[in-house]
């Protein structure tokens, strides 16, 4: 048997046979060194075992163990419906913090170190002292070795080297910490635009996510197994505006991932601890193409405007997928959400995902907000979850290629413009638990192929118009009101059957001109009404212009 592998699935092909291949989704299992080198990588299905590589060695560093989002047991991890990225942790063999620098005409010859009150500093040019600044005699590469553990005060304007948005630091190219370092403050290395490598030891107990903001050259960061007391600090704005940052490794101890993780970076794959809570705008303008995570609670628009994202598999214990989640992810094609707890889709979830092709939602959902799946132009089919009770305004509005929709009878309320402007929608659905069809329901759904539409008897308001291919409509027994544009532009509909209704229905807007009522319809249509209501019906001001098209039930029966 031959095996074809790609990052999304394993396909087994029987040689010489005709059995269709079995597709099995696979997940990334990757182990990286501190500077981003891939030590091992496999794509494996859920339930498979990934064996860790041998402990790495690196000149001048001591291996401290692994930073992993999942448990490593007997040198292996079990794959569970999520991508896994594991990183190597080191401290310096010298016991000193080591900073590699490169001085050029552009950087100048003066250097500042980030640690104050150092007991010794070897500047790498033969000079040693305890000062925090030094001026070199020549351009070139040097390694500074520092015995000290207390960082200088930093803030959003000034980093540990004295750098900021202006002037930036252009001489630091690598940092390797001693295992005496316990705290790295916020903004410590922001705007270190030449920094390519940073090694963080397990001795760190307090870390702030902003410590590497705007590090344009940084390729990888491995967060160590820091103290659980400070985990929420470690991920806020982590990797923000690091234009070349491809890999972020987060250990299992971190149970909260705060906002703007990897914002405007080059992150390719995301790996977070299983069940970690995710803050607002977690992934915003991030170029990853695939996301497979197992998360806890989810913040507002936790994934937003990731315009290269194509595939999502989300497992979550959250009760709500918050407003704007996945909105404006223009290239998103496939979404699968698995949950036993998710009950609510917030407003504009999956809106403006113009290339969305498939959506799988869990049956635990009971509430769908406004604008969900609107302007998903490529979507052809959607199944509303089995336990859904309410659907907000503009659901699937302007999904021009939508052909089929499934609605359970659990739905008791639907907002306006449900599936409006869905020009290729071919089936008409309505829940038997609804009492009215809202304004704009199926408005412009001109491709509906059902020759006869039978509306459930509990419906008291009907707004239908513009379904060109429908040939007959059976109106419900409880009908009381019609939209003021009811029946317009339903060119092939020759029969409007009102025989079950108990009262003459009125238009919802009496000030609207009667010309909009059945607008565009010829005189050959037949409006069939109960015998007992016929005289009242043809005299009613709403219907008087259509009197020649109105037939009593008994009269119509003789015609047919």
């Amino acid at each position: 048997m031959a095996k074809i592998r790609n990052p999304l699935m394993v396909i087994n092909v029987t040689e010489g046979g005709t059995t269709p291949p079995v597709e099995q989704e696979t997940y990334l299992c990757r182990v990286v060194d501190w500077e981003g080198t891939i030590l091992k990588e496999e794509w494996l299905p859920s339930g498979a075992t990934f064996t860790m590589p041998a402990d790495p060695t690196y000149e001048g560093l001591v291996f401290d163990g692994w930073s992993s989002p999942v448990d490593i047991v007997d040198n292996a991890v079990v794959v569970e419906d999520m991508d896994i990225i594991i990183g190597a942790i080191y401290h310096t063999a010298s016991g000193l913090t080591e900073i590699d620098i490169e001085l050029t005409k552009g950087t100048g010859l003066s250097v500042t170190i980030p640690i104050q009150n150092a007991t010794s500093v070897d500047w790498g040019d033969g000079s040693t002292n305890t000062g925090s600044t030094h001026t070199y005699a020549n351009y070139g590469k040097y390694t500074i070795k520092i015995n000290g553990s207390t960082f200088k005060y930093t803030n959003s304007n000034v980093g540990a080297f004295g750098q900021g948005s202006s002037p930036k630091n252009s001489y630091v190219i690598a940092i390797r910490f001693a295992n005496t370092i316990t705290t790295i403050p916020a903004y410590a290395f922001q705007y270190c635009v030449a920094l390519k490598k940073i090694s963080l030891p397990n001795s760190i107990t307090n870390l702030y996510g902003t410590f590497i903001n705007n590090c344009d050259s940084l390729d990888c960061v491995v967060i160590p197994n820091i103290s659980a007391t400070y985990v929420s600090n470690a991920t806020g704005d982590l990797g923000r505006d690091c234009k070349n940052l491809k890999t972020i490794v987060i250990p299992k101890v971190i149970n909260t991932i705060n906002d703007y993780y990897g914002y405007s970076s080059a992150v390719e794959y995301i790996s977070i601890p299983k069940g970690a809570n995710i803050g607002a705008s977690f992934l915003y303008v991030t170029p990853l193409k695939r996301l497979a995570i197992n998360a806890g609670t989810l913040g507002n628009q936790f994934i937003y405007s990731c315009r290269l994202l194509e595939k999502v598999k989300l497992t979550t214990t959250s009760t709500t997928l918050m407003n704007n989640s996945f909105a404006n992810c223009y290239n998103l094609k496939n979404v699968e959400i698995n949950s036993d707890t998710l009950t609510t889709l917030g407003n504009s979830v999956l809106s403006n995902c113009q290339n969305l092709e498939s959506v799988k939602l869990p049956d635990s959902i009971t509430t769908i907000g406004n604008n969900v799946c609107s302007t998903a132009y490529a979507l052809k089919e959607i199944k509303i979850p089995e336990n859904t009770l309410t659907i907000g305004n503009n659901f699937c509005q302007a999904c021009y290629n939508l052909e089929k929709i499934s609605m359970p009878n659990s739905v008791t309320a639907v907002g306006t413009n449900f599936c409006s402007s869905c020009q290729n929608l071919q089936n008409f659905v309505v829940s038997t638990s609804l009492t009215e069809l809202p304004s704009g329901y199926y408005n412009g759904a001109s491709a509906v192929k059902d020759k006869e539409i039978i509306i459930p008897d509990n419906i008291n308001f009907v707004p239908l118009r513009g379904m060109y291919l429908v040939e007959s409509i059976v109106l419900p027994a409880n009908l009381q009101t019609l939209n003021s544009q009811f029946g317009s532009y339903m060119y092939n509909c020759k029969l409007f059957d009102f025989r079950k209704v108990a009262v003459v229905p009125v238009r919802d807007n009496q000030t609207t001109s009667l010309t909009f009522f059945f607008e565009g319809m010829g005189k050959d249509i037949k409006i069939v009404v109960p015998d007992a209501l016929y005289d009242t019906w043809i005299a009613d001001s709403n219907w008087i212009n259509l009197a020649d098209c109105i037939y009593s039930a008994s009269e119509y029966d003789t015609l047919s």
Side-chain angles (χ1 to χ4, degrees):
M1 177 176 288
K3 183 173 284 186
I4 301 172
R5 183 179 298 278
N6 72 19
L8 299 181
M9 63 189 68
V10 175
I11 303 176
N12 294 318
V13 182
T14 304
E15 296 173 359
T18 58
T19 304
V22 177
E23 297 182 358
Q24 188 175 21
E25 185 158 16
T26 59
Y27 300 90
L28 173 65
C29 299
R30 175 183 287 178
V31 180
V32 298
D33 215 343
W34 69 286
E35 26 63 298
T37 299
I38 297 175
L39 302 175
K40 184 176 181 180
E41 179 177 302
E42 291 184 65
W43 290 87
L44 297 172
S46 182
T49 298
F50 174 73
T51 302
M52 295 291 294
D55 292 351
T57 58
Y58 204 97
E59 184 178 358
L61 295 175
V62 178
F63 179 63
D64 269 350
W66 300 107
S67 173
S68 173
V70 296
D71 289 327
I72 301 174
V73 180
D74 295 330
N75 203 42
V77 300
V78 177
V79 182
E80 291 186 62
D81 292 338
M82 56 183 279
D83 291 338
I84 298 170
I85 303 177
I86 298 170
I89 305 170
Y90 298 89
H91 67 266
T92 56
S94 65
L96 305 173
T97 292
E98 300 173 355
I99 302 174
D100 296 339
I101 63 172
E102 183 174 11
L103 302 180
T104 65
K105 291 180 180 179
T107 66
L109 295 170
S110 296
V111 170
T112 298
I113 59 172
I115 293 174
Q116 61 186 358
N117 302 322
T119 57
S120 67
V121 181
D122 180 346
W123 294 96
D125 63 349
S127 301
T128 57
N129 57 49
T130 57
S132 62
T133 61
H134 182 67
T135 300
Y136 288 79
N138 300 298
Y139 302 119
K141 293 182 178 181
Y142 303 91
T143 297
I144 304 170
K145 297 182 179 180
I146 307 167
N147 187 356
S149 59
T150 304
F151 272 82
K152 294 177 180 177
Y153 173 77
T154 62
N155 58 46
S156 59
N157 296 314
V158 181
F161 292 96
Q163 83 286 2
S165 59
S166 181
K168 300 174 182 178
N169 182 294
S170 300
Y171 55 80
V172 174
I173 57 176
I175 305 173
R176 299 172 296 279
F177 284 103
N179 60 359
T180 56
I181 299 294
T182 59
T183 298
I184 296 181
Y187 309 106
F189 309 120
Q190 65 172 340
Y191 294 107
C192 287
V193 294
L195 179 63
K196 295 180 179 179
K197 305 175 183 179
I198 187 166
S199 174
L200 305 170
N202 271 333
S203 59
I204 293 174
T205 58
N206 193 359
L207 181 68
Y208 291 83
T210 54
F211 78 108
I212 54 169
N213 282 9
N214 298 94
C215 292
D216 291 351
S217 302
L218 190 63
D219 181 79
C220 173
V221 60
V222 178
I223 303 300
N225 297 297
I226 62 177
S227 168
T229 305
Y230 298 102
V231 292
S232 63
N233 299 335
T235 56
D237 286 314
L238 180 60
R240 182 168 182 162
D241 291 309
C242 295
K243 297 176 182 177
N244 287 290
L245 185 62
K246 295 182 178 65
T247 304
I248 302 175
V249 180
I250 304 292
K252 184 182 178 182
V253 67
I254 292 182
N255 55 25
T256 299
I257 313 290
N258 285 337
D259 51 0
Y260 295 105
Y261 173 102
Y263 170 78
S264 198
S265 69
V267 170
E268 298 173 317
Y269 298 100
I270 297 294
S271 174
I272 68 168
K274 181 179 179 180
N277 299 321
I278 294 177
S281 302
F282 162 61
L283 295 174
Y284 177 51
V285 195
T286 305
L288 76 164
K289 292 186 177 181
R290 163 198 166 94
L291 179 72
I293 59 173
N294 189 322
T297 59
L298 306 168
N300 273 339
Q301 58 185 43
F302 84 104
I303 295 176
Y304 182 74
S305 288
C306 293
R307 296 176 182 178
L308 299 180
L309 185 63
E310 295 180 358
K311 181 179 176 66
V312 169
K313 185 167 186 181
L314 170 65
T315 303
T316 180
T317 57
S318 183
T319 59
T320 303
L321 193 57
M322 301 291 279
N323 295 346
N324 298 308
S325 295
F326 303 110
N328 298 332
C329 295
Y330 300 142
N331 281 299
L332 185 58
K333 292 180 174 64
N334 306 107
V335 174
E336 179 180 341
I337 302 174
N338 298 300
S339 178
D340 294 326
T341 58
L342 190 66
T343 60
T344 302
L345 298 183
N347 294 336
S348 299
V349 168
L350 290 167
S351 66
N352 207 24
C353 296
Q354 298 174 1
N355 287 288
L356 188 63
E357 295 175 356
S358 68
V359 180
K360 181 181 177 183
L361 301 171
D363 284 336
S364 56
I365 290 173
T366 60
T367 303
I368 296 176
N370 298 329
N371 306 311
V372 171
C373 289
S374 62
T375 61
Y377 300 147
L379 189 64
K380 290 188 175 182
E381 182 176 352
I382 190 167
K383 179 180 182 292
I384 299 171
E386 285 298 322
N387 296 299
T388 303
L389 299 175
T390 61
I391 300 173
N393 299 333
N394 307 320
F395 179 78
C396 281
Q397 184 181 34
C399 293
Y400 298 138
N401 286 292
L402 188 65
E403 296 178 358
K404 183 178 180 181
I405 186 167
S406 301
M407 178 191 290
N409 287 327
S410 58
V411 176
T412 58
V414 174
T416 59
N417 297 316
F418 177 88
C419 289
S420 67
S421 300
C422 293
Q423 299 167 353
N424 283 292
L425 189 56
Q426 297 180 12
N427 70 312
F428 182 83
V429 297
V430 59
S431 166
T432 57
S433 299
L434 287 173
T435 58
E436 68 175 33
L437 301 185
S439 176
Y441 195 89
Y442 269 71
N443 185 19
S446 56
V448 172
K449 291 183 177 179
D450 298 321
K451 290 187 176 181
E452 181 180 57
I453 290 178
I454 300 175
I455 300 175
D457 284 339
N458 47 304
I459 301 292
N460 60 37
F461 174 76
V462 177
L464 302 185
R465 61 186 294 267
M467 292 188 286
Y468 302 155
L469 303 179
V470 174
E471 295 181 4
S472 66
I473 298 178
V474 178
L475 282 303
N478 198 41
L479 181 66
Q480 299 177 30
T481 309
L482 294 171
N483 179 269
S484 57
Q485 297 180 358
F486 175 81
S488 59
Y489 304 113
M490 301 186 70
Y491 298 125
N492 281 295
C493 191
K494 303 304 179 184
L495 174 62
F496 295 85
D497 191 341
F498 289 87
R499 279 181 283 196
K500 294 191 293 182
V501 304
V503 296
V504 178
V506 298
R507 294 179 301 131
D508 63 340
N509 187 347
Q510 295 292 312
T511 62
T512 302
S513 171
L514 278 173
T515 59
F516 297 119
F517 200 43
F518 287 86
E519 184 178 11
M521 303 300 288
K523 294 296 184 180
D524 57 342
I525 63 171
K526 291 180 172 56
I527 301 170
V528 182
V529 304
D531 288 356
L533 294 177
Y534 176 76
D535 291 336
T536 305
W537 205 298
I538 63 173
D540 189 281
S541 61
N542 292 286
W543 295 91
I544 193 167
N545 289 353
L546 295 162
D548 289 341
C549 300
I550 299 173
Y551 296 80
S552 67
S554 57
E555 181 184 7
Y556 177 77
D557 289 341
T558 62
L559 295 176
S560 57

